[in-house]
Amino acid sequence: MGQQYLKVNSIEELLVNLDKPGAMVLCGGTDLVVKMRSGLLSPELLLDISDLPELREIRNIGSKIEIGAAVTQSELLASEIVRERLPLLITVLSQLGCVQIRNRGTLGGNLVNASPAADSAVPLLLFDAEVILTGSQGERRLAVKDFFRGPGKTALSNGEFLRAVLIPLPNPKLSPFFHKIGRRKALTIAIASLGALLHVEGDLIHEVRLAAGSVAPTPIRLRRVEERANGKRVTASLIEEARKLARQSVSPIDDIRASADYRRTVIADLVAHLFEGVLHV
Amino acid sequence: MIGAAVLRPDAIDKVRGEARFVDDLAFPGMLHAAVIRGTVPHAKICKLDLKSVSKHPRVICTLTANEIPGENVVHVIYDDQPALADEIVRYIGEPIALLAAEDRTSANQAVKLATINYEELPAVFDSLSALSPDAPTVAVPAATEKAPNLFNAMRIRKGDVAQGFAQADVIVEGEYHTGYQEHAYLETQGAIAVPELNGAMAIYGTMQCPFYVQAAVAKVLGLPLSKVRVIQTATGGAFGGKEDVPSLVACLAALLAWKARRSVKLVFDREEDILTTSKRHPSIVRYKSGAKADGTLTAIEVDFVYNAGAYQTLSPAVLWRGLMHAAGPYRIPHVKIDGRSVATNTVPCGAFRGFGSPQVIFAHESQMDRLAERLGIDRLEIRRRNALQIGDETATKQRLSESVGVLQTIEKAGRLAHWEERLRKVEAFNAASRDRRRGLGISSVMYGVGLGGKAPFLDKAGAYMKLEADGSIGIAVGTVEMGQGLTTALTQIASEALSVPFDRIHLAPVDSSRVPDSGPTVASRGTMMSGLAILDAAAKLKERIRTVAKDLHIPKNEIPSRLKEIAQAFFMRNLDPAVEGWAQGAPVDWDEETGLGNAYFVYAYATHIAQVEVDLTTGEASVEDFVAVHDSGRIVNHQLASGQVEGGIAQGLGFALMEDIPQEDGRLMTTGFTTYRIPTIRDIAADTKVAFVEALYSAGPFGAKGLGEVPLMASHTAVSRAVAHALGAAVNTYPLSPERVKGSVA
């Protein structure tokens, strides 16, 4: 009722309209349309950015990759540079939703929706990626970790939109790990997920980065575990400490998918399992 | 033709999207209905104000209980469910009033304009609490003073269980819990009511039981049965969910059509469908089994309770099938079984593939494994030793005289799965793996085909068959195609019987005015009962054809190739080219007091073996490998039968591992497929072998029995027992979510 739809043709047109009351950006619509139908959101003006060429590019700039907000998950999965340099992102996106959802869903949309279970947030946190936010005042860059402010809440100000994601190419020696626990093997929202980038030599951890989804109000890095483990050798006591620290780092909730207890335990056990894996190569 | 993998006649239309489901149909001047529903679990309706609804510019009419021209009931078995709640609302989502609008969006908006004031009453949601004498009374009328909510209590008493347990060397006891299962058919519930001349009403809709719908609509409108015509539209899955519920949907649409004197469409969206229509009964099953040292079963004692929801609908029948199936496909001399279904302030449960049997199968097969474990006997072997054979007596003292293939299913499944070798491999894997465990599960079941001794009057079917002037054959039956492939199987049976090519035979859509009441399309009876009716019709038609052929000097062996010539003769000489066929199930009987009798005329059997792998870190269970062997007598179409088995495996896997509807104070917490998870293609075992042993049934068409429900019945316990084997722990509650499995790892 009183709802308008506008397919914008330029970023300028988008910015002009984004200031209007009740305006919202529509891209893939895989979350937005669902929320509109259930009455959770009732935007008055939908600004469709899905065909803006500026937002649909994957660009390699020096040591970084810039991904336009409207690039679909399927396009990322097909991208040569992403496949080559960001294998973790491929692993994660190939488990996000289903083919039909990935054909419409975008990287930017998955972030802006700010679900604690947003699959693509986990690798972006691990990459220390940034988001580029554009408004009529200009552009600002923000670490992905600072972009999430709570379930459904982001650092976007009024009149601002997410233009692109900037990913520093990780050291190729960092091997990817991702485990998403769902109630089935595909087309499922994570009960909990753990992602990691890990560089080990023998039992020596040169570098480890850990991030988890669905276990806190936002997807999070497990910094305390990382700090404890970086530069250390994997021992039984390190594993137990990591398990404990991981447990302490999360603040999950009970919901229809699982209990907080399970989430806490399973993240701790997955972290421990990851380090145990180093000992059992 | 029998056994051949012919192309389904409906395949191309469905693939192209040209098959017309109920929501694809429109009639001139058609209105769209919406249902105003109760929002509290148990309450007196103090005020129902529809003034604002009526003022909506696109609303044409509203309707409340006091305007119903016939009886305010949805006729199923006991007539305790009103079409529209009158005075008392007994579950969240119960229909209270109706409206019809010019378009669906307006109809759905106008629903929100209704004002209902309630005086809330104490409510009860789980079966055990509802059985307490001081529980609020939900059932209408109250069952007994001591147990007002005890809808049904049924029992079996055979032999003397005290003696049986005294003879046992080992006794195991267990308690098993299962929750709701949602049918998750592709097409939601829907019906269109179309007023016809002379006060008649036609119903178009997605359904399994056109004659149930006919009876229900006649009753609610106060019309003679002859003035209600029911036409089944292309039906996108049912699984029991379209056994009783379409009667309610059709009644609601028909009431509005009667009042508005216009066609009215009522189609549920997914949320409305999940929240307000029938599900599999949540269960608690207590099971005690005794066996001798060699594994021979001596006695079982079973007590099970099903949460029926606010109205009985099909619960008596569901409970009865649970009772008849609680012993499993085994020889047991001493049997004591008690089943109860209980009223609660929750959505009425109803039919779902397996119909009250999967819950007790979970128990009886888990018990078999536990006996085997205690006795140190292989799990396949203990089933082999106890499997029913020809000449044996069932738990209801029915002497089995033919078509008992359960032993063959066990042995063939064992061979196909390489049972012993696989057990060794699983053990070796588990010994070597730090964080994963594999397990094997086996499950054997029996299934009484048809409706059985509690409702023998339903086991009939008619067929109308005519020879067209060009030698093609038109057929009408009263059982429906709902995706399971019935049209194909029946066409094959007709083709074989008449020696007419498959593509020269056409089955008309089911229309209640074409054939007599043929019973419901349930209980895995379609192929058998309508198949028999077709055979009866074919025999009569062939007789007439032979007579005419003789007259035309056409030798018998040339009849098939010269049928067109013969048909022309029928036409030119004004001969009657149409026949009617009729089938009745073989006699069954059942004594209510003892629970003994010839419960069903024949049984189908199956054995499934599943291999799972469990991730000990997360509790995720994954089905890796599956073998399913069925005895359903003659298989009319191997490809369709295999497909039906594969679908049943998936549905059972979902029941065991992931499907779940939490309920809070009578409110169902899953409203769609984001939270109600059914298996995807990735959850199905990559390697699934399906095979048949065909123990022919002399009274079935070409020896066929029934198949539809059996795959689901066998599969879920093969999966859950495989998880139990992997964990080396008890598994007593569905679904085996990662959380529940991880909790059992410890």
Side-chain angles (χ1 to χ4, degrees):
Chain A
M1 292 225 259
Q3 204 162 66
Q4 279 189 305
Y5 167 91
L6 178 65
K7 188 152 207 164
V8 294
N9 293 311
S10 68
I11 288 192
E12 293 68 38
E13 190 184 2
L14 173 63
L15 287 174
V16 166
N17 285 287
L18 203 49
D19 275 332
K20 293 183 178 163
M24 279 194 85
V25 172
L26 169 73
C27 199
T30 55
D31 286 305
L32 181 57
V33 173
V34 176
K35 287 180 178 176
M36 283 167 59
R37 191 178 173 279
S38 68
L40 281 174
L41 288 174
S42 36
E44 286 159 45
L45 174 59
L46 284 172
L47 301 168
D48 185 349
I49 60 166
S50 61
D51 273 344
L52 277 187
E54 302 95 305
L55 303 185
R56 299 189 48 84
E57 283 177 348
I58 302 172
R59 293 194 300 158
N60 188 359
I61 27 179
S63 60
K64 293 182 180 179
I65 294 183
E66 188 186 292
I67 299 168
V71 175
T72 67
Q73 289 135 8
S74 290
E75 285 164 346
L76 284 166
L77 285 170
S79 153
E80 213 158 295
I81 181 156
V82 176
R83 297 181 76 87
E84 231 166 73
R85 303 300 305 271
L86 302 170
L88 176 65
L89 189 57
I90 297 292
T91 305
V92 171
L93 292 181
S94 62
Q95 294 176 49
L96 187 155
C98 58
V99 174
Q100 292 89 333
I101 287 175
R102 296 194 293 262
N103 284 345
R104 290 204 64 87
T106 59
L107 190 63
N110 198 228
L111 297 180
V112 169
N113 187 53
S115 160
D119 285 328
S120 54
V122 169
L124 296 181
L125 284 169
L126 292 169
F127 296 144
D128 288 322
E130 293 175 299
V131 287
I132 302 173
L133 309 180
T134 305
S136 43
Q137 309 298 316
E139 208 158 77
R140 60 181 176 130
R141 276 161 56 166
L142 198 65
V144 166
K145 72 174 170 55
D146 298 323
F147 180 68
F148 298 117
R149 294 284 164 86
K153 293 202 179 78
T154 68
L156 276 172
S157 316
N158 265 349
E160 248 183 352
F161 74 99
L162 191 155
R163 184 178 68 75
V165 177
L166 201 55
I167 302 176
L169 289 170
N171 181 344
K173 285 182 178 160
L174 286 166
S175 345
F177 168 92
F178 182 66
H179 193 114
K180 169 174 163 178
I181 301 160
R183 289 287 289 266
R184 61 182 171 199
K185 289 187 188 166
L187 191 53
T188 188
I189 296 172
I191 291 172
S193 64
L194 180 75
L197 288 170
L198 184 65
H199 175 202
V200 289
E201 231 177 321
D203 59 359
L204 177 67
I205 301 170
H206 285 294
E207 188 185 357
V208 63
R209 301 182 197 174
L210 295 161
S214 292
V215 289
T218 68
I220 52 167
R221 278 282 283 269
L222 304 175
R223 298 273 180 195
R224 288 173 64 200
V225 186
E226 295 175 8
E227 282 159 17
R228 175 64 188 82
N230 275 328
K232 304 288 178 358
R233 291 189 185 278
V234 179
T235 60
S237 74
L238 179 113
I239 291 170
E240 286 321 303
E241 271 186 72
R243 193 193 307 269
K244 208 168 118 191
L245 287 170
R247 234 188 127 77
Q248 291 166 359
S249 305
V250 300
S251 51
I253 55 162
D254 290 313
D255 68 11
I256 196 164
R257 293 183 178 86
S259 71
D261 259 356
Y262 171 77
R263 292 186 156 107
R264 214 174 284 125
T265 307
V266 83
I267 281 297
D269 289 354
L270 275 173
V271 167
H273 181 254
L274 181 73
F275 290 129
E276 279 164 1
V278 174
L279 292 181
H280 295 88
V281 175
Chain B
M1 182 48 64
I2 298 299
V6 292
L7 178 71
R8 301 175 61 120
D10 54 344
I12 303 291
D13 296 335
K14 284 179 176 165
V15 168
R16 284 190 175 142
E18 289 169 358
R20 272 172 296 181
F21 297 86
V22 66
D23 208 14
D24 299 320
L25 296 177
F27 290 82
M30 187 175 79
L31 300 174
H32 295 265
V35 186
I36 295 162
R37 297 178 179 279
T39 53
V40 292
H42 199 192
K44 217 177 256 174
I45 302 167
C46 299
K47 189 181 133 192
L48 173 59
D49 181 353
L50 302 180
K51 282 196 281 295
S52 309
V53 178
S54 303
K55 276 186 199 150
H56 190 290
R58 304 277 290 165
V59 168
I60 299 302
C61 70
T62 63
L63 190 138
T64 56
N66 57 17
E67 298 172 75
I68 291 174
E71 287 179 55
N72 183 13
V73 295
V74 181
H75 173 62
V76 184
I77 296 175
Y78 286 120
D79 284 1
D80 65 333
Q81 182 181 21
L84 294 172
D86 191 8
E87 295 175 17
I88 306 281
V89 54
R90 293 186 178 81
Y91 68 94
I92 291 175
E94 181 166 9
I96 292 178
L98 301 170
L99 66 88
E102 295 281 5
D103 63 276
R104 189 177 292 170
T105 309
S106 301
N108 292 335
Q109 280 167 2
V111 165
K112 297 177 191 131
L113 303 174
T115 306
I116 307 171
N117 295 342
Y118 302 102
E119 179 191 325
E120 289 210 43
L121 300 169
V124 63
F125 309 110
D126 73 277
S127 50
L128 294 187
S129 311
L131 278 173
S132 139
D134 49 357
T137 301
V138 186
V140 214
T144 65
E145 202 170 312
K146 273 190 173 164
N149 295 319
L150 181 61
F151 270 152
N152 321 107
M154 299 177 191
R155 59 189 198 166
I156 297 178
R157 298 287 183 270
K158 177 189 165 189
D160 173 3
V161 286
Q163 192 195 329
F165 286 120
Q167 289 165 355
D169 294 309
V170 162
I171 294 172
V172 295
E173 289 185 65
E175 181 173 309
Y176 304 88
H177 294 246
T178 64
Y180 286 117
Q181 189 179 17
E182 156 64 29
H183 307 87
Y185 27 63
L186 275 173
E187 182 201 23
T188 57
Q189 302 278 353
I192 304 173
V194 182
E196 295 193 327
L197 294 178
N198 194 19
M201 186 67 73
I203 302 289
Y204 294 77
T206 179
M207 65 182 75
Q208 289 174 250
C209 310
F211 302 97
Y212 285 9
V213 172
Q214 182 191 16
V217 169
K219 199 157 204 168
V220 82
L221 291 184
L223 286 178
L225 284 167
S226 57
K227 287 199 178 183
V228 178
R229 188 165 72 95
V230 179
I231 302 99
Q232 182 232 0
T233 50
T235 293
F239 311 109
K242 291 173 184 171
E243 177 166 356
D244 56 324
V245 176
S247 296
L248 171 65
V249 180
C251 282
L252 300 182
L255 283 167
L256 283 167
W258 163 80
K259 184 167 178 187
R261 305 185 73 79
R262 285 167 70 171
S263 303
V264 172
K265 179 189 273 189
L266 174 60
V267 174
F268 291 174
D269 71 8
R270 184 62 67 181
E271 183 172 340
E272 188 173 22
D273 196 293
I274 290 181
L275 293 181
T276 70
T277 71
S278 70
K279 326 246 160 280
R280 190 182 302 290
H281 293 66
S283 75
I284 302 168
V285 183
R286 297 198 184 97
Y287 212 115
K288 181 177 170 186
S289 321
K292 291 186 181 163
D294 66 356
T296 308
L297 291 166
T298 58
I300 56 165
E301 186 170 350
V302 189
D303 179 19
F304 65 102
V305 182
Y306 288 170
N307 183 346
Y311 298 104
Q312 299 218 32
T313 66
L314 287 161
S315 287
V318 170
L319 186 74
W320 189 76
R321 188 172 281 277
L323 191 76
M324 293 301 106
H325 288 72
Y330 307 115
R331 249 184 332 267
I332 312 171
H334 304 285
V335 175
K336 177 172 183 253
I337 308 175
D338 287 277
R340 288 171 288 172
S341 80
V342 184
T344 62
N345 292 111
T346 55
V347 65
C349 289
F352 194 145
R353 202 174 188 179
F355 207 74
S357 73
Q359 298 95 321
V360 291
I361 288 166
F362 176 36
H364 76 58
E365 286 306 272
S366 299
Q367 291 285 109
M368 288 302 277
D369 280 8
R370 294 179 55 203
L371 283 173
E373 193 186 332
R374 287 279 300 278
L375 292 166
I377 300 173
D378 174 80
R379 289 177 288 154
L380 188 145
E381 179 60 22
I382 198 171
R383 287 172 170 80
R384 226 182 55 79
R385 288 182 193 173
N386 288 288
L388 287 166
Q389 297 186 42
I390 288 173
D392 283 339
E393 216 177 53
T394 67
T396 66
K397 280 198 160 176
Q398 177 173 0
R399 186 75 59 191
L400 298 173
S401 58
E402 62 166 323
S403 185
V404 182
V406 61
L407 188 60
Q408 293 93 307
T409 67
I410 296 170
E411 290 174 347
K412 189 163 186 172
R415 280 197 304 277
L416 287 173
H418 305 286
W419 175 255
E420 283 169 18
E421 183 190 339
R422 195 182 286 263
L423 273 174
R424 284 193 296 274
K425 280 187 185 164
V426 162
E427 277 160 30
F429 175 89
N430 290 345
S433 171
R434 190 166 47 86
D435 53 0
R436 306 182 80 79
R437 293 280 180 279
R438 287 185 180 159
L440 284 186
I442 177 168
S443 168
S444 296
V445 301
M446 77 189 291
Y447 178 83
V449 179
L451 296 144
K454 194 85 167 54
F457 58 89
L458 291 172
D459 261 323
K460 56 195 162 196
Y464 170 81
M465 183 181 282
K466 64 172 168 169
L467 176 66
E468 299 282 8
D470 63 355
S472 67
I473 302 287
I475 297 176
V477 294
T479 55
V480 310
E481 170 68 57
M482 49 183 137
Q484 87 279 42
L486 183 67
T487 303
T488 315
L490 293 181
T491 308
Q492 286 178 269
I493 287 171
S495 169
E496 180 77 27
L498 294 165
S499 307
V500 171
F502 183 85
D503 58 8
R504 299 280 290 167
I505 300 173
H506 184 73
L507 252 80
V510 173
D511 178 329
S512 63
S513 66
R514 289 198 175 110
V515 285
D517 187 335
S518 298
T521 317
V522 302
S524 309
R525 68 188 285 278
T527 299
M528 186 165 143
M529 295 308 298
S530 288
L532 288 173
I534 285 174
L535 288 185
D536 185 46
K540 291 174 186 165
L541 185 59
K542 273 166 75 176
E543 191 49 46
R544 285 194 207 164
I545 289 171
R546 266 190 225 116
T547 310
V548 175
K550 204 173 165 192
D551 208 36
L552 296 172
H553 305 292
I554 295 174
K556 245 179 167 179
N557 61 349
E558 287 177 25
I559 290 176
S561 58
R562 296 172 68 182
L563 190 59
K564 188 172 176 179
E565 215 178 301
I566 299 167
Q568 272 296 314
F570 268 84
F571 181 79
M572 295 309 295
R573 299 176 188 185
N574 295 346
L575 299 175
D576 179 2
V579 292
E580 276 180 40
W582 189 245
Q584 283 170 278
V588 284
D589 58 79
W590 184 69
D591 180 74
E592 198 163 322
E593 204 48 44
T594 60
L596 303 179
N598 295 316
Y600 297 94
F601 39 72
V602 72
Y603 296 85
Y605 304 88
T607 297
H608 287 192
I609 292 174
Q611 180 177 320
V612 304
E613 190 170 311
V614 175
D615 182 329
L616 297 179
T617 314
T618 62
E620 292 164 293
S622 165
V623 180
E624 305 287 319
D625 212 287
F626 213 101
V627 170
V629 180
H630 283 256
D631 164 28
S632 287
R634 175 82 72 210
I635 297 303
V636 176
N637 182 318
H638 272 93
Q639 191 179 41
L640 283 176
S642 297
Q644 209 165 30
V645 172
E646 285 165 25
I649 292 170
Q651 213 164 23
L653 180 159
F655 185 42
L657 295 183
M658 61 189 77
E659 297 185 34
D660 191 15
I661 305 185
Q663 181 229 106
E664 283 177 18
D665 296 338
R667 190 175 298 280
L668 303 184
M669 302 309 286
T670 60
T671 58
F673 291 139
T674 314
T675 42
Y676 189 81
R677 298 141 304 239
I678 57 174
T680 68
I681 193 79
R682 289 232 181 117
D683 297 285
I684 313 302
D687 188 10
T688 299
K689 287 191 190 72
V690 177
F692 297 94
V693 295
E694 298 179 77
L696 302 188
Y697 173 44
S698 61
F702 303 103
K705 301 191 279 190
L707 174 65
E709 291 167 274
V710 194
L712 179 143
M713 291 163 54
S715 64
H716 62 92
T717 307
V719 172
S720 59
R721 292 313 302 163
V723 173
H725 182 225
L727 297 175
V731 161
N732 297 331
T733 304
Y734 282 175
L736 298 168
S737 62
E739 178 162 8
R740 189 164 277 143
V741 170
K742 188 165 166 65
S744 313
V745 172

